[in-house]
Amino acid sequence: MIAQKNMEVMIGSLRLKNPIMPASGAFGEDMEEIIDFNRLGAVVPKSITKYPRRGNATPRVCETAAGMINSIGIQSKGIDYYLSKTLPYYTKYETPLISSISADSIDEFAEMSEIIAGHEVVKALELNISCPNLKGNGLAYGMDPQITYDLIRQVRTVTDKPIIAKLTPNVTRIQDIAVAAEEAGADGLTVANTILAMAIDVHTRKPKIGNVMGGISGPAIKPIIVRMIYQVYQATKLPIIGCGGVMNGEDAIEMMLAGATAVQVGTASFIQPTAMFDILEEIEQYMDHYQIEAITEIIGQVITGK
Amino acid sequence: MKAVKLRVLSNTQVSERYWHMVVDASNLRETVKPGQFFHIRCTDEYYPFLRRPFSIYRINKQSQTLEFLYLVKGLGTRRLTQVAPGEQVDVFGPLGKGFTVHESWNPILLLARGVGIATLAALAQEAAEKGIRCVAILSARSQNDLLATETLQGFGADVYKVTDEEGTSDVDHVRSLIEQIMLENEIKAAYVCGSKRLSLLLQEIARERQIPAEIALEEHMGCAMGVCFACVCDLQEEDGVKTVRVCREGPVFPLEKVVIS
Ligand SMILES: Cc1cc2nc3c(=O)[nH]c(=O)nc-3n(C[C@H](O)[C@H](O)[C@H](O)COP(=O)(O)OP(=O)(O)OC[C@H]3O[C@@H](n4cnc5c(N)ncnc54)[C@H](O)[C@@H]3O)c2cc1C
Ligand SMILES: Cc1cc2nc3c(=O)[nH]c(=O)nc-3n(C[C@H](O)[C@H](O)[C@H](O)COP(=O)(O)O)c2cc1C
Ligand code: FES
């Protein structure tokens, strides 16, 4: 018999009943037929942009060894739709809603954050400063510590709700970006978005993605993300949400041992729509096996010394 | 829609490039409609790990089995050929919106290229059950690649075959074949799957003749649950072009609306 375990974690002032939540872009209302949103630690819908966006050319996804590359290009219905349809939809769930925001300028990030955070149902903001598809050649705001600082600083002035910065892994030293976000007043960090990648069909000699390059997710990137969580955990005090390649409970535990407080699940849900619940169950089994009463006990507990 | 494991009853090669799989669907509660599809895990491994979409080829209500007809294209479908009878396949579905069939739409024309027939065969089956007559044009690279002729004939369909090998599959030839069929039959609706060129052709003809027509589209998919926006296509609506998801709003769409590029 597995006794009820304490799975609660905190991201800033936001209390989650368990550490498992979906990754933005891999979750939406359409999943309500398949999973009970109330069992999740949080819900994170797809990143929203100010104006409607059509997204990138197809094919928008392709598969590589243990990973997938995507270049959706944030297809979005715009903020008006988000406010009038998406936010009201989530009021029926008790699970906290984290709104993921993507914008074209620092001012636009602040403007959207102010509007969205003004809604009661929104419990935290995740700033997607890391989408590799938007700016030419995969550049993102989160590649520059100064821009990251200025951006988060400005959003900080418009809301008291928790701000989570979703970092890009496409940098030399992710710790520098993490520290910039912390100094600017972020409450948490998502580590990390997809890694810039490319695949070519050797028969047609064409890229396998309509947009030439895209971001790779899935099991292939997990070791890189675990390393980055470990590095960021050393460099800042902020709670970290690990994201990238989590397929099962062990993967989630591994990220928590590296320093993550919570874990997002993306690609795994495409393979198994109920993956997040399987992961929760496996975490409980792990806690039971090692007699861990509260999941917070394992955060950052990797043993690296002799 | 739900992910379930279904037992494979048979999985056999039917021609050089095509395979046919029958699964026991007795523990599938949802009803399955022609034009709908399943997102199937071809292997338990991490490569390839994404599911692959396959349409329903045949729905056998009495024996409670479902059939798929698939082209061996790359890694995923190659792995699928290795699934042995008695083993389980992990399928997610039924997904998407199927074909529209009205009893007054009689007879109907089916136009399929290659494995596109897998999708249209299920429609032919439903039409037969509703007493609707089908005329089908099957197009393929070679005679060897022509699929499901007997299945369709078994449903009472008139089948015309065109191939690249015999030089009969070009658009002009297919156009005159359709015109001839339309002279002999008062075709009330048309359906197409498997080829951009043929879809454009049928779009033109359906517009000229003012008959309803539908297309079953294929797009690379991620989630097949409508959340990732990988599988989009463009529809021409009255208020402009709209980008919709093939897995959710489709895979079957009114042919007149689809922007075929
Ligand atoms: C709604 C729908 C119904 C389909 N029904 C059938 C069917 O009944 N029989 C059949 O043989 N094929 C069907 N297809 C196409 C089939 O899904 C692809 O041929 C198959 O996914 C190829 O996988 P692979 O790993 O062998 O090939 P690879 O080329 O190695 O695949 C690599 C990636 O590309 C994707 N992909 C490749 N070709 C296609 C394609 N034509 N359409 C969509 N995704 C593709 C794969 O899913 C995979 O993610 C259907 C596609 C869709 C969207
Ligand atoms: C199809 C797809 C769409 C995505 N869209 C977004 C998005 O809109 N915003 C965002 O912050 N991340 C987006 N991501 C990135 C994921 O949130 C996540 O960071 C990434 O997939 C790594 O996690 P995983 O390996 O568990 O999938 C997307 C990922 C995929 C696969
Ligand atoms: S495959 Fe994800 S939205 Fe259609």
Coordinates of all heavy atoms in Angstrom, one line a residue, chain A residues 22-26 45-48 60-61 68-72 74-75 100-102 126-131 133 166 190 192-194 215-219 221-222 225 243-247 264-270, chain B residues 222 227-230, ligand 2:
Chain A
P22 N 2.0 20.3 -17.5 CA 2.4 20.2 -18.9 C 3.3 21.3 -19.3 O 3.4 22.4 -18.7 CB 1.0 20.4 -19.6 CG 0.2 21.2 -18.6 CD 0.7 20.8 -17.3
A23 N 4.1 21.1 -20.4 CA 4.9 22.1 -21.0 C 4.1 22.9 -22.0 O 3.2 22.3 -22.7 CB 6.1 21.5 -21.7
S24 N 4.3 24.2 -22.1 CA 3.5 25.0 -23.0 C 3.7 24.5 -24.5 O 4.8 24.2 -24.9 CB 4.0 26.4 -23.0 OG 3.3 27.2 -23.9
G25 N 2.6 24.4 -25.2 CA 2.7 23.9 -26.6 C 2.4 22.4 -26.7 O 2.2 21.9 -27.8
A26 N 2.3 21.8 -25.6 CA 2.0 20.3 -25.6 C 0.8 20.1 -24.7 O 0.6 19.0 -24.1 CB 3.2 19.6 -25.0
P45 N -1.2 26.5 -20.8 CA -1.6 26.4 -22.2 C -0.5 27.0 -23.1 O 0.5 27.5 -22.6 CB -2.8 27.3 -22.2 CG -3.2 27.6 -20.8 CD -2.0 27.4 -20.0
K46 N -0.7 26.8 -24.4 CA 0.2 27.3 -25.4 C 0.5 28.8 -25.2 O -0.3 29.5 -24.9 CB -0.3 27.0 -26.8 CG 0.7 27.4 -27.8 CD 0.5 26.6 -29.1 CE 1.6 27.0 -30.1 NZ 2.9 26.5 -29.7
S47 N 1.7 29.2 -25.6 CA 2.1 30.6 -25.5 C 1.2 31.4 -26.3 O 0.8 31.0 -27.4 CB 3.5 30.8 -26.1 OG 4.5 30.1 -25.3
I48 N 0.8 32.6 -25.7 CA -0.1 33.5 -26.4 C 0.7 34.7 -26.9 O 1.6 35.2 -26.3 CB -1.2 33.9 -25.5 CG1 -2.3 34.8 -26.2 CG2 -0.7 34.5 -24.2 CD1 -3.1 34.0 -27.2
R60 N 5.8 20.9 -39.9 CA 6.2 21.7 -38.7 C 6.8 20.7 -37.6 O 7.3 21.2 -36.6 CB 4.9 22.3 -38.0 CG 4.4 23.5 -38.9 CD 3.1 24.0 -38.2 NE 2.7 25.2 -38.9 CZ 1.7 26.0 -38.4 NH1 1.0 25.6 -37.3 NH2 1.4 27.1 -39.0
V61 N 6.8 19.5 -37.9 CA 7.4 18.5 -36.9 C 8.2 17.5 -37.7 O 7.7 17.1 -38.8 CB 6.5 17.8 -35.9 CG1 5.9 18.8 -34.9 CG2 5.4 17.1 -36.7
M68 N 12.1 15.0 -31.2 CA 11.4 15.5 -32.3 C 11.8 17.0 -32.5 O 12.1 17.7 -31.5 CB 9.9 15.4 -32.1 CG 9.3 16.2 -31.0 SD 7.5 16.0 -30.8 CE 6.8 17.0 -32.1
I69 N 11.8 17.4 -33.7 CA 12.1 18.9 -34.0 C 10.8 19.5 -34.4 O 10.0 19.0 -35.1 CB 13.1 19.0 -35.1 CG1 14.4 18.2 -34.8 CG2 13.4 20.5 -35.4 CD1 15.4 18.3 -35.9
N70 N 10.5 20.7 -33.8 CA 9.3 21.4 -34.2 C 9.6 22.8 -34.5 O 10.5 23.4 -34.0 CB 8.2 21.3 -33.1 CG 8.3 22.4 -32.1 OD1 7.8 23.5 -32.3 ND2 8.9 22.1 -30.9
S71 N 8.8 23.4 -35.4 CA 8.9 24.8 -35.7 C 7.4 25.3 -36.0 O 7.1 25.5 -37.1 CB 9.8 25.1 -36.9 OG 9.1 24.8 -38.1
I72 N 6.6 25.2 -34.9 CA 5.2 25.6 -35.0 C 5.2 27.1 -35.3 O 4.3 27.5 -36.2 CB 4.4 25.3 -33.7 CG1 4.6 23.8 -33.3 CG2 3.0 25.6 -33.9 CD1 4.2 22.8 -34.3
I74 N 4.6 29.4 -33.0 CA 3.6 30.0 -32.1 C 2.3 30.4 -32.9 O 1.9 31.6 -32.9 CB 4.1 31.2 -31.2 CG1 5.5 30.8 -30.7 CG2 3.1 31.6 -30.1 CD1 5.7 31.0 -29.3
Q75 N 1.7 29.5 -33.5 CA 0.4 29.8 -34.0 C -0.6 30.2 -32.9 O -0.6 29.5 -31.9 CB -0.2 28.6 -34.8 CG -1.6 28.9 -35.4 CD -2.1 27.8 -36.3 OE1 -1.3 27.0 -36.8 NE2 -3.3 27.9 -36.6
S100 N 1.4 31.3 -20.4 CA 2.7 31.5 -21.1 C 2.6 32.6 -22.1 O 1.7 32.6 -23.0 CB 3.1 30.2 -21.8 OG 4.2 30.4 -22.7
I101 N 3.5 33.6 -22.0 CA 3.4 34.8 -22.9 C 4.6 34.8 -23.8 O 5.7 34.6 -23.4 CB 3.3 36.1 -22.0 CG1 2.0 36.0 -21.2 CG2 3.4 37.3 -22.9 CD1 1.9 37.2 -20.2
S102 N 4.3 35.2 -25.1 CA 5.4 35.4 -26.1 C 5.1 36.7 -26.7 O 3.9 37.0 -27.1 CB 5.3 34.3 -27.1 OG 6.2 34.5 -28.2
E126 N 4.4 32.7 -17.2 CA 5.6 32.1 -17.7 C 6.0 32.9 -18.9 O 5.3 32.9 -19.9 CB 5.5 30.6 -18.1 CG 6.8 30.0 -18.5 CD 6.7 28.5 -18.8 OE1 6.2 28.2 -19.9 OE2 7.2 27.7 -18.0
L127 N 7.1 33.6 -18.9 CA 7.5 34.4 -20.0 C 8.4 33.6 -20.9 O 9.5 33.1 -20.6 CB 8.3 35.7 -19.5 CG 7.6 36.5 -18.5 CD1 8.4 37.7 -18.1 CD2 6.2 37.0 -19.0
N128 N 7.9 33.4 -22.1 CA 8.6 32.6 -23.1 C 9.6 33.5 -23.8 O 9.4 34.0 -24.9 CB 7.6 32.0 -24.1 CG 8.3 31.1 -25.2 OD1 9.5 31.0 -25.1 ND2 7.5 30.6 -26.1
I129 N 10.8 33.7 -23.2 CA 11.8 34.6 -23.7 C 12.8 33.7 -24.5 O 13.9 34.1 -24.8 CB 12.6 35.4 -22.6 CG1 13.2 34.4 -21.6 CG2 11.6 36.3 -21.9 CD1 14.2 35.1 -20.6
S130 N 12.3 32.5 -24.9 CA 13.3 31.5 -25.4 C 12.8 30.8 -26.7 O 13.5 29.9 -27.1 CB 13.5 30.5 -24.3 OG 12.2 30.1 -23.8
C131 N 11.8 31.2 -27.3 CA 11.3 30.5 -28.5 C 12.3 30.6 -29.6 O 12.7 31.7 -30.0 CB 10.0 31.0 -29.0 SG 9.3 30.0 -30.3
N133 N 12.2 30.0 -32.7 CA 11.7 30.2 -34.1 C 11.4 31.6 -34.5 O 11.3 31.9 -35.7 CB 10.4 29.4 -34.2 CG 10.7 27.9 -33.9 OD1 11.6 27.3 -34.3 ND2 9.8 27.4 -33.1
K166 N 11.1 31.5 -18.8 CA 11.4 30.2 -19.5 C 12.7 30.4 -20.3 O 12.7 31.2 -21.3 CB 10.3 29.7 -20.4 CG 10.6 28.3 -21.0 CD 9.4 27.7 -21.6 CE 9.7 26.3 -22.2 NZ 8.5 25.7 -22.8
T190 N 12.0 28.4 -15.7 CA 11.8 27.1 -16.4 C 13.1 26.8 -17.2 O 13.5 27.6 -18.0 CB 10.6 27.1 -17.3 OG1 9.4 27.5 -16.5 CG2 10.3 25.8 -18.0
A192 N 14.4 24.0 -19.6 CA 14.5 25.1 -20.5 C 13.6 24.8 -21.7 O 12.9 23.8 -21.8 CB 16.0 25.2 -21.0
N193 N 13.7 25.7 -22.7 CA 12.9 25.5 -23.9 C 13.7 24.5 -24.8 O 14.7 23.9 -24.4 CB 12.8 26.9 -24.7 CG 11.5 26.9 -25.5 OD1 11.2 26.0 -26.2 ND2 10.7 28.0 -25.3
T194 N 13.3 24.4 -26.1 CA 13.9 23.4 -27.0 C 15.3 23.9 -27.5 O 15.6 25.1 -27.4 CB 13.0 23.2 -28.2 OG1 12.7 24.5 -28.8 CG2 11.7 22.5 -27.8
G215 N 13.2 23.5 -33.0 CA 13.7 23.2 -31.6 C 13.5 21.7 -31.4 O 12.4 21.2 -31.6
I216 N 14.5 21.1 -30.9 CA 14.4 19.6 -30.6 C 13.9 19.4 -29.1 O 14.4 20.1 -28.2 CB 15.7 18.8 -30.9 CG1 15.4 17.3 -30.7 CG2 16.9 19.3 -30.1 CD1 16.5 16.5 -31.3
S217 N 13.0 18.5 -28.9 CA 12.5 18.1 -27.6 C 12.6 16.6 -27.5 O 12.9 15.9 -28.5 CB 11.1 18.6 -27.4 OG 10.3 18.0 -28.4
G218 N 12.2 16.1 -26.3 CA 12.1 14.6 -26.2 C 13.4 14.0 -25.5 O 14.3 14.8 -25.1
P219 N 13.4 12.7 -25.3 CA 14.4 12.0 -24.5 C 15.9 12.4 -25.0 O 16.8 12.5 -24.1 CB 14.2 10.5 -24.8 CG 12.8 10.4 -25.3 CD 12.4 11.8 -25.9
I221 N 17.2 15.2 -25.5 CA 17.8 16.4 -24.9 C 17.9 16.3 -23.3 O 18.4 17.2 -22.7 CB 17.0 17.7 -25.3 CG1 15.6 17.7 -24.7 CG2 16.9 17.8 -26.8 CD1 14.9 19.1 -24.8
K222 N 17.3 15.3 -22.8 CA 17.3 15.3 -21.3 C 18.6 15.4 -20.6 O 18.7 16.2 -19.6 CB 16.5 14.0 -20.8 CG 16.1 14.1 -19.3 CD 15.8 12.8 -18.7 CE 17.0 11.9 -18.7 NZ 16.7 10.5 -18.1
I225 N 19.6 19.0 -20.5 CA 18.7 19.8 -19.6 C 19.0 19.5 -18.1 O 19.1 20.5 -17.3 CB 17.2 19.5 -19.9 CG1 16.9 19.9 -21.4 CG2 16.3 20.2 -18.9 CD1 17.0 21.4 -21.7
C243 N 12.4 21.1 -17.6 CA 11.6 20.8 -18.8 C 12.5 20.4 -19.9 O 13.4 21.1 -20.3 CB 10.9 22.1 -19.2 SG 9.9 21.8 -20.7
G244 N 12.3 19.2 -20.4 CA 13.0 18.7 -21.6 C 13.3 17.2 -21.5 O 14.2 16.8 -20.8
G245 N 12.5 16.4 -22.2 CA 12.8 15.0 -22.3 C 12.3 14.1 -21.2 O 12.7 13.0 -21.1
V246 N 11.4 14.7 -20.3 CA 10.9 13.8 -19.3 C 9.9 12.8 -19.8 O 8.9 13.2 -20.4 CB 10.2 14.6 -18.1 CG1 9.5 13.7 -17.1 CG2 11.3 15.5 -17.5
M247 N 10.1 11.5 -19.7 CA 9.2 10.5 -20.3 C 8.6 9.7 -19.2 O 7.6 9.0 -19.4 CB 10.0 9.6 -21.2 CG 10.7 10.3 -22.4 SD 9.6 11.2 -23.4 CE 8.8 9.9 -24.3
Q264 N 8.0 20.0 -16.0 CA 7.1 20.0 -17.1 C 7.2 18.8 -18.1 O 8.3 18.4 -18.3 CB 7.2 21.3 -17.9 CG 6.8 22.6 -17.1 CD 6.9 23.8 -17.9 OE1 7.5 23.9 -19.0 NE2 6.3 24.9 -17.3
V265 N 6.1 18.4 -18.6 CA 6.1 17.3 -19.5 C 5.5 17.7 -20.8 O 4.4 18.2 -20.9 CB 5.3 16.1 -18.9 CG1 5.2 14.9 -19.9 CG2 5.8 15.7 -17.5
G266 N 6.3 17.6 -21.9 CA 5.8 18.0 -23.2 C 5.6 16.8 -24.1 O 4.6 16.1 -24.1
T267 N 6.6 16.5 -24.9 CA 6.6 15.4 -25.9 C 6.0 14.1 -25.4 O 5.3 13.4 -26.2 CB 8.0 15.2 -26.5 OG1 8.5 16.5 -26.9 CG2 8.1 14.3 -27.6
A268 N 6.3 13.7 -24.2 CA 5.8 12.5 -23.6 C 4.3 12.3 -23.8 O 3.8 11.2 -24.0 CB 6.2 12.3 -22.2
S269 N 3.6 13.5 -23.6 CA 2.1 13.4 -23.7 C 1.7 13.1 -25.2 O 0.5 12.6 -25.4 CB 1.5 14.7 -23.3 OG 1.8 15.0 -21.9
F270 N 2.5 13.4 -26.2 CA 2.1 13.1 -27.5 C 2.2 11.5 -27.7 O 1.4 11.0 -28.5 CB 3.1 13.7 -28.5 CG 3.1 15.2 -28.6 CD1 4.0 15.9 -29.3 CD2 2.2 15.9 -27.8 CE1 4.0 17.3 -29.4 CE2 2.2 17.3 -27.8 CZ 3.1 18.0 -28.6
Chain B
G222 N 2.0 15.7 -34.6 CA 2.7 15.5 -33.3 C 1.8 14.8 -32.4 O 1.8 13.6 -32.2
V227 N -3.5 19.9 -29.9 CA -2.9 20.8 -29.0 C -1.5 21.4 -29.5 O -1.1 22.5 -29.1 CB -2.6 20.3 -27.6 CG1 -4.0 19.9 -26.9 CG2 -1.6 19.2 -27.5
C228 N -0.9 20.7 -30.5 CA 0.5 21.1 -30.9 C 0.5 22.0 -32.1 O 1.5 22.7 -32.4 CB 1.4 20.0 -31.0 SG 1.2 19.0 -32.5
F229 N -0.5 22.0 -32.9 CA -0.6 22.8 -34.1 C 0.5 22.4 -35.2 O 0.9 23.2 -35.9 CB -0.6 24.3 -33.9 CG -1.8 24.8 -33.2 CD1 -2.0 24.7 -31.8 CD2 -2.9 25.2 -33.9 CE1 -3.2 25.1 -31.2 CE2 -4.1 25.6 -33.3 CZ -4.2 25.6 -32.0
A230 N 0.8 21.1 -35.2 CA 1.8 20.7 -36.2 C 1.1 20.4 -37.5 O 1.7 20.6 -38.6 CB 2.5 19.4 -35.7
Ligands
LIG2 C1 5.0 21.0 -30.8 C2 5.6 21.9 -29.7 C3 5.2 23.2 -29.5 C4 5.7 24.0 -28.5 N1 5.3 25.2 -28.3 C5 5.8 26.0 -27.3 C6 5.2 27.2 -26.9 O1 4.3 27.7 -27.5 N2 5.8 27.9 -25.9 C7 6.8 27.4 -25.2 O2 7.3 28.1 -24.2 N3 7.3 26.2 -25.5 C8 6.8 25.5 -26.5 N4 7.4 24.2 -26.7 C9 8.5 23.7 -25.9 C10 8.0 22.9 -24.8 O3 7.2 23.7 -23.9 C11 9.1 22.2 -24.0 O4 10.0 23.3 -23.6 C12 9.9 21.3 -24.9 O5 9.1 20.5 -25.7 C13 10.8 20.4 -24.1 O6 10.1 19.5 -23.3 P1 9.8 17.9 -23.7 O7 11.0 17.3 -24.1 O8 9.1 17.4 -22.5 O9 8.8 18.0 -24.8 C14 6.8 23.4 -27.7 C15 7.2 22.1 -27.9 C16 6.7 21.3 -28.9 C17 7.1 19.9 -29.1

